[in-house]
Amino acid sequence: MRIGELAERAGTTTRTLRYYESRGLLQARRAENGYRTYDEGDLRMVRQIRTLQDFGFDLEETRPFVDCLRAGHPAGDSCPASLAVYRRKLGELDTLISQLQSVRTEVGAQLARAELEASAEVPGGPEPRCELNREDEDR
């Protein structure tokens, strides 16, 4: 298949495929007329790269998966190097989740404090000015 068909079937652009080629992740063969040609194996590689990128892997992290497919394995994640990338990525995700849980706890505590202070306001007193409410400034 030619580059346009590969791009369409893989759900990407020809520009992206050329970029993958420039990074050594995709290897085009050339027809007699000079056009790039690809096969089903190339489609599997591009789909593997796209899936991993959708999961948050950077392009270089996809290399072991591509190498695994090139080595003839039926799946790009059946090689030790690919498994190592998965493990490293899971560690990164666990760290991010922990950080987000800490931030959520802090935001929840700030909300609880703010709600408590707001409910303790003296009834009938001046309404607090909110910095986000620009209409008050226009009056």
Side-chain angles (χ1 to χ4, degrees), residues 3-4 6-8 11-23 26 36 38 46 50 59:
I3 194 167
L6 177 61
E8 185 177 325
T12 191
T13 65
T14 57
R15 182 177 178 193
T16 297
L17 296 178
R18 286 186 196 99
Y19 181 68
Y20 292 168
E21 188 177 334
S22 75
R23 298 295 305 266
L26 187 61
R36 292 173 171 90
Y38 302 92
V46 173
R50 304 286 298 154
L59 194 56

mmCIF file of all heavy atoms in Angstrom, residues 3-4 6-8 11-23 26 36 38 46 50 59:
data_model
loop_
_atom_site.group_PDB
_atom_site.id
_atom_site.type_symbol
_atom_site.label_atom_id
_atom_site.label_comp_id
_atom_site.label_asym_id
_atom_site.label_seq_id
_atom_site.Cartn_x
_atom_site.Cartn_y
_atom_site.Cartn_z
ATOM 1 N N ILE A 3 1.590 5.429 0.951
ATOM 2 C CA ILE A 3 1.575 6.165 2.214
ATOM 3 C C ILE A 3 0.193 6.722 2.558
ATOM 4 O O ILE A 3 -0.215 6.701 3.716
ATOM 5 C CB ILE A 3 2.659 7.268 2.231
ATOM 6 C CG1 ILE A 3 2.862 7.795 3.649
ATOM 7 C CG2 ILE A 3 2.344 8.354 1.221
ATOM 8 C CD1 ILE A 3 4.095 8.645 3.822
ATOM 9 N N GLY A 4 -0.549 7.183 1.558
ATOM 10 C CA GLY A 4 -1.883 7.719 1.816
ATOM 11 C C GLY A 4 -2.829 6.663 2.364
ATOM 12 O O GLY A 4 -3.612 6.931 3.277
ATOM 13 N N LEU A 6 -1.933 3.870 3.927
ATOM 14 C CA LEU A 6 -1.476 3.512 5.273
ATOM 15 C C LEU A 6 -1.956 4.551 6.283
ATOM 16 O O LEU A 6 -2.468 4.194 7.353
ATOM 17 C CB LEU A 6 0.048 3.390 5.315
ATOM 18 C CG LEU A 6 0.653 3.094 6.692
ATOM 19 C CD1 LEU A 6 0.154 1.761 7.235
ATOM 20 C CD2 LEU A 6 2.173 3.118 6.617
ATOM 21 N N ALA A 7 -1.818 5.813 5.942
ATOM 22 C CA ALA A 7 -2.262 6.873 6.849
ATOM 23 C C ALA A 7 -3.749 6.755 7.142
ATOM 24 O O ALA A 7 -4.180 6.837 8.293
ATOM 25 C CB ALA A 7 -1.940 8.243 6.256
ATOM 26 N N GLU A 8 -4.531 6.540 6.099
ATOM 27 C CA GLU A 8 -5.982 6.418 6.272
ATOM 28 C C GLU A 8 -6.334 5.216 7.137
ATOM 29 O O GLU A 8 -7.129 5.319 8.069
ATOM 30 C CB GLU A 8 -6.663 6.307 4.909
ATOM 31 C CG GLU A 8 -8.172 6.288 5.000
ATOM 32 C CD GLU A 8 -8.822 6.250 3.627
ATOM 33 O OE1 GLU A 8 -8.287 6.869 2.688
ATOM 34 O OE2 GLU A 8 -9.871 5.592 3.511
ATOM 35 N N GLY A 11 -5.369 5.785 10.729
ATOM 36 C CA GLY A 11 -6.002 6.915 11.393
ATOM 37 C C GLY A 11 -5.027 8.032 11.722
ATOM 38 O O GLY A 11 -5.117 8.654 12.778
ATOM 39 N N THR A 12 -4.102 8.282 10.819
ATOM 40 C CA THR A 12 -3.109 9.329 11.036
ATOM 41 C C THR A 12 -2.883 10.091 9.731
ATOM 42 O O THR A 12 -3.684 9.989 8.818
ATOM 43 C CB THR A 12 -1.798 8.728 11.609
ATOM 44 O OG1 THR A 12 -0.956 9.783 12.041
ATOM 45 C CG2 THR A 12 -1.084 7.845 10.619
ATOM 46 N N THR A 13 -1.817 10.850 9.657
ATOM 47 C CA THR A 13 -1.534 11.633 8.456
ATOM 48 C C THR A 13 -0.259 11.141 7.786
ATOM 49 O O THR A 13 0.585 10.507 8.423
ATOM 50 C CB THR A 13 -1.353 13.121 8.809
ATOM 51 O OG1 THR A 13 -0.191 13.262 9.637
ATOM 52 C CG2 THR A 13 -2.575 13.667 9.534
ATOM 53 N N THR A 14 -0.110 11.499 6.528
ATOM 54 C CA THR A 14 1.121 11.139 5.820
ATOM 55 C C THR A 14 2.307 11.867 6.439
ATOM 56 O O THR A 14 3.408 11.322 6.493
ATOM 57 C CB THR A 14 1.020 11.466 4.317
ATOM 58 O OG1 THR A 14 0.732 12.856 4.150
ATOM 59 C CG2 THR A 14 -0.057 10.629 3.648
ATOM 60 N N ARG A 15 2.079 13.065 6.911
ATOM 61 C CA ARG A 15 3.153 13.824 7.568
ATOM 62 C C ARG A 15 3.664 13.078 8.800
ATOM 63 O O ARG A 15 4.874 12.997 9.038
ATOM 64 C CB ARG A 15 2.626 15.206 7.949
ATOM 65 C CG ARG A 15 3.656 16.086 8.580
ATOM 66 C CD ARG A 15 3.086 17.451 8.873
ATOM 67 N NE ARG A 15 4.088 18.261 9.526
ATOM 68 C CZ ARG A 15 3.833 19.403 10.122
ATOM 69 N NH1 ARG A 15 2.618 19.875 10.143
ATOM 70 N NH2 ARG A 15 4.790 20.077 10.698
ATOM 71 N N THR A 16 2.746 12.539 9.580
ATOM 72 C CA THR A 16 3.132 11.769 10.766
ATOM 73 C C THR A 16 3.939 10.544 10.368
ATOM 74 O O THR A 16 4.960 10.228 10.991
ATOM 75 C CB THR A 16 1.881 11.362 11.573
ATOM 76 O OG1 THR A 16 1.229 12.549 12.027
ATOM 77 C CG2 THR A 16 2.233 10.483 12.757
ATOM 78 N N LEU A 17 3.504 9.868 9.325
ATOM 79 C CA LEU A 17 4.224 8.679 8.875
ATOM 80 C C LEU A 17 5.633 9.027 8.408
ATOM 81 O O LEU A 17 6.587 8.301 8.697
ATOM 82 C CB LEU A 17 3.451 7.968 7.768
ATOM 83 C CG LEU A 17 2.085 7.408 8.172
ATOM 84 C CD1 LEU A 17 1.399 6.778 6.972
ATOM 85 C CD2 LEU A 17 2.204 6.424 9.323
ATOM 86 N N ARG A 18 5.771 10.128 7.729
ATOM 87 C CA ARG A 18 7.114 10.565 7.301
ATOM 88 C C ARG A 18 7.984 10.891 8.514
ATOM 89 O O ARG A 18 9.182 10.621 8.529
ATOM 90 C CB ARG A 18 7.017 11.767 6.366
ATOM 91 C CG ARG A 18 6.526 11.407 4.985
ATOM 92 C CD ARG A 18 6.584 12.621 4.045
ATOM 93 N NE ARG A 18 5.779 12.376 2.876
ATOM 94 C CZ ARG A 18 4.542 12.819 2.683
ATOM 95 N NH1 ARG A 18 3.962 13.574 3.596
ATOM 96 N NH2 ARG A 18 3.886 12.536 1.593
ATOM 97 N N TYR A 19 7.361 11.461 9.531
ATOM 98 C CA TYR A 19 8.098 11.761 10.761
ATOM 99 C C TYR A 19 8.552 10.461 11.433
ATOM 100 O O TYR A 19 9.702 10.353 11.858
ATOM 101 C CB TYR A 19 7.233 12.595 11.716
ATOM 102 C CG TYR A 19 7.952 12.943 12.995
ATOM 103 C CD1 TYR A 19 9.029 13.820 12.984
ATOM 104 C CD2 TYR A 19 7.557 12.387 14.203
ATOM 105 C CE1 TYR A 19 9.698 14.138 14.152
ATOM 106 C CE2 TYR A 19 8.214 12.705 15.379
ATOM 107 C CZ TYR A 19 9.286 13.581 15.343
ATOM 108 O OH TYR A 19 9.949 13.883 16.513
ATOM 109 N N TYR A 20 7.657 9.479 11.526
ATOM 110 C CA TYR A 20 8.043 8.183 12.090
ATOM 111 C C TYR A 20 9.210 7.593 11.302
ATOM 112 O O TYR A 20 10.135 7.023 11.876
ATOM 113 C CB TYR A 20 6.880 7.191 12.060
ATOM 114 C CG TYR A 20 5.721 7.495 12.969
ATOM 115 C CD1 TYR A 20 4.525 6.793 12.835
ATOM 116 C CD2 TYR A 20 5.783 8.466 13.965
ATOM 117 C CE1 TYR A 20 3.442 7.043 13.663
ATOM 118 C CE2 TYR A 20 4.696 8.717 14.796
ATOM 119 C CZ TYR A 20 3.537 8.006 14.643
ATOM 120 O OH TYR A 20 2.461 8.239 15.464
ATOM 121 N N GLU A 21 9.152 7.750 9.995
ATOM 122 C CA GLU A 21 10.226 7.243 9.145
ATOM 123 C C GLU A 21 11.538 7.971 9.451
ATOM 124 O O GLU A 21 12.595 7.339 9.571
ATOM 125 C CB GLU A 21 9.846 7.411 7.676
ATOM 126 C CG GLU A 21 10.814 6.748 6.721
ATOM 127 C CD GLU A 21 10.380 6.871 5.273
ATOM 128 O OE1 GLU A 21 9.174 7.011 5.004
ATOM 129 O OE2 GLU A 21 11.274 6.813 4.405
ATOM 130 N N SER A 22 11.472 9.286 9.622
ATOM 131 C CA SER A 22 12.685 10.052 9.913
ATOM 132 C C SER A 22 13.282 9.686 11.266
ATOM 133 O O SER A 22 14.484 9.806 11.468
ATOM 134 C CB SER A 22 12.393 11.563 9.864
ATOM 135 O OG SER A 22 11.674 11.985 11.011
ATOM 136 N N ARG A 23 12.443 9.203 12.169
ATOM 137 C CA ARG A 23 12.906 8.789 13.497
ATOM 138 C C ARG A 23 13.313 7.314 13.538
ATOM 139 O O ARG A 23 13.689 6.797 14.572
ATOM 140 C CB ARG A 23 11.806 9.030 14.536
ATOM 141 C CG ARG A 23 11.389 10.486 14.710
ATOM 142 C CD ARG A 23 12.490 11.374 15.269
ATOM 143 N NE ARG A 23 13.027 10.887 16.512
ATOM 144 C CZ ARG A 23 12.625 11.255 17.720
ATOM 145 N NH1 ARG A 23 11.682 12.158 17.846
ATOM 146 N NH2 ARG A 23 13.165 10.744 18.802
ATOM 147 N N LEU A 26 9.588 3.661 11.342
ATOM 148 C CA LEU A 26 8.886 3.098 10.195
ATOM 149 C C LEU A 26 9.866 3.061 9.035
ATOM 150 O O LEU A 26 10.592 4.029 8.802
ATOM 151 C CB LEU A 26 7.675 3.977 9.854
ATOM 152 C CG LEU A 26 6.723 3.481 8.785
ATOM 153 C CD1 LEU A 26 6.088 2.150 9.190
ATOM 154 C CD2 LEU A 26 5.627 4.523 8.554
ATOM 155 N N ARG A 36 6.748 5.460 -1.802
ATOM 156 C CA ARG A 36 6.895 4.624 -0.612
ATOM 157 C C ARG A 36 5.819 3.534 -0.651
ATOM 158 O O ARG A 36 4.679 3.815 -1.002
ATOM 159 C CB ARG A 36 6.691 5.454 0.655
ATOM 160 C CG ARG A 36 7.754 6.463 0.937
ATOM 161 C CD ARG A 36 7.315 7.317 2.146
ATOM 162 N NE ARG A 36 8.355 8.174 2.636
ATOM 163 C CZ ARG A 36 8.567 9.418 2.198
ATOM 164 N NH1 ARG A 36 7.789 9.929 1.260
ATOM 165 N NH2 ARG A 36 9.536 10.148 2.688
ATOM 166 N N TYR A 38 4.189 0.127 1.715
ATOM 167 C CA TYR A 38 4.090 -0.457 3.054
ATOM 168 C C TYR A 38 3.255 -1.718 2.973
ATOM 169 O O TYR A 38 2.512 -1.940 2.014
ATOM 170 C CB TYR A 38 3.420 0.538 4.012
ATOM 171 C CG TYR A 38 4.151 1.861 4.102
ATOM 172 C CD1 TYR A 38 3.803 2.921 3.266
ATOM 173 C CD2 TYR A 38 5.185 2.045 5.007
ATOM 174 C CE1 TYR A 38 4.470 4.136 3.344
ATOM 175 C CE2 TYR A 38 5.856 3.254 5.079
ATOM 176 C CZ TYR A 38 5.490 4.298 4.246
ATOM 177 O OH TYR A 38 6.148 5.486 4.322
ATOM 178 N N VAL A 46 2.399 0.993 13.061
ATOM 179 C CA VAL A 46 1.845 2.335 13.229
ATOM 180 C C VAL A 46 0.698 2.297 14.238
ATOM 181 O O VAL A 46 0.601 3.186 15.100
ATOM 182 C CB VAL A 46 1.383 2.922 11.876
ATOM 183 C CG1 VAL A 46 0.651 4.242 12.072
ATOM 184 C CG2 VAL A 46 2.573 3.106 10.948
ATOM 185 N N ARG A 50 0.557 4.458 17.669
ATOM 186 C CA ARG A 50 -0.573 5.353 17.943
ATOM 187 C C ARG A 50 -1.271 4.989 19.255
ATOM 188 O O ARG A 50 -1.633 5.865 20.032
ATOM 189 C CB ARG A 50 -1.580 5.308 16.787
ATOM 190 C CG ARG A 50 -1.011 5.644 15.433
ATOM 191 C CD ARG A 50 -0.720 7.081 15.197
ATOM 192 N NE ARG A 50 -1.973 7.822 15.296
ATOM 193 C CZ ARG A 50 -2.053 9.094 15.625
ATOM 194 N NH1 ARG A 50 -0.982 9.781 15.862
ATOM 195 N NH2 ARG A 50 -3.214 9.695 15.698
ATOM 196 N N LEU A 59 7.162 9.300 21.919
ATOM 197 C CA LEU A 59 7.528 8.553 20.716
ATOM 198 C C LEU A 59 8.715 7.623 20.950
ATOM 199 O O LEU A 59 8.724 6.488 20.490
ATOM 200 C CB LEU A 59 7.805 9.521 19.572
ATOM 201 C CG LEU A 59 7.864 8.910 18.185
ATOM 202 C CD1 LEU A 59 6.589 8.144 17.861
ATOM 203 C CD2 LEU A 59 8.103 9.989 17.142
#
